Amino acid sequence: MLSSLSSFFWRFIEEKRDFLLDKPRLRAAIRTDLQLLENQLPYSLLEGLFEIAFPETKICEYSSSLFFLLSCAFFYDRMFNKIPDNGEVKHFVDLRRKAITRTHPESFSTTNNGIPASAFKLQESGVKFTHIAIRELLDIKFEKKKGRIPRLQVRGELKIPKITVDDWTECLIRNVMALEQCHYPLETHVCNYIALLDDLINTKEDVHFLVEAGIISNRMGNTARLTKMFNNLGQQIGLSSSCYGDIVNGLTAHYEDPWNHAMATLKTVYFGNYWRSTGTIAAIVLLLLTLIQTVCSILQVM
């Protein structure tokens, strides 16, 4: 098994012709199968046997082992875009988790509540959704921005890194979440991330909105299927303290403020696009001119 696995990794790196590697669907299936929690062998065992079988490939002590680099290269994808520190790795699933959480924020806060509304409803209350063109998948931020007239121009902006969802995503995430539930109950970083997305996604309308905002790249095609995926992933999971507590509290405060709903409605109804804004401004100017003319007429009579 080890010889076949090592050879497979080598052929992948060297881009040699291979009936499995040449077929993207089969290559993705093998990559996924190697990351199923029930298929794992201790990583230290695989790495040790690899160095025994290929002693000439061992790199100096302070550097990563070649097997570690081969593993990272083979599993590299949009959710595995940060090479983790070559520390203690339990197995391939743990390797993926470490890659996803490598730059996860260390500051934590707690909250007993979830986000008060889905993405589309938050948008209706004035929250702006922006996708971040960075590779830290879990690095979600919520910022309150103020303009020159603070009360009139306060708005919340939720910045979420883009996530690409395809046919293999659910399986990979589910295995990482299962690993956290069993071995990292106090550091459920990926579970916390999925719980946050689950709060944002309740209906197909929410998914469509997040896709339009550039936050989700839907390669599954079916919006209803993607909605069901996030809702199912968020069921019956234990969560630890999270760095998202302040985000939840900030979104709750923003959503529960009636002023934010009123300003968002005003902007949508009367200033939704260029022509609507122009018409609204023209109507206001006309109203002011009419009011001034009326006042002048009254003063003349008096």
Side-chain angles (χ1 to χ4, degrees), residues 170 173-174 177 194 228-235 237:
E170 180 177 4
I173 291 180
R174 190 175 293 280
M177 292 176 66
I194 291 298
K228 185 178 179 180
M229 184 198 83
F230 279 108
N231 294 159
N232 288 340
L233 285 173
Q235 290 181 355
I237 55 174

Side-chain angles (χ1 to χ4, degrees), residues 46-87:
L46 296 176
E47 193 169 39
L49 292 175
F50 178 85
E51 291 178 355
I52 293 174
F54 305 97
E56 69 281 2
T57 62
K58 187 174 181 180
I59 302 179
C60 52
E61 294 179 358
Y62 58 83
S63 182
S64 300
S65 73
L66 183 57
F67 186 73
F68 177 80
L69 296 177
L70 287 174
S71 302
C72 291
F74 182 73
F75 293 119
Y76 185 92
D77 57 26
R78 293 175 182 83
M79 286 198 304
F80 194 121
N81 46 37
K82 288 285 184 179
I83 297 179
D85 297 330
N86 187 21

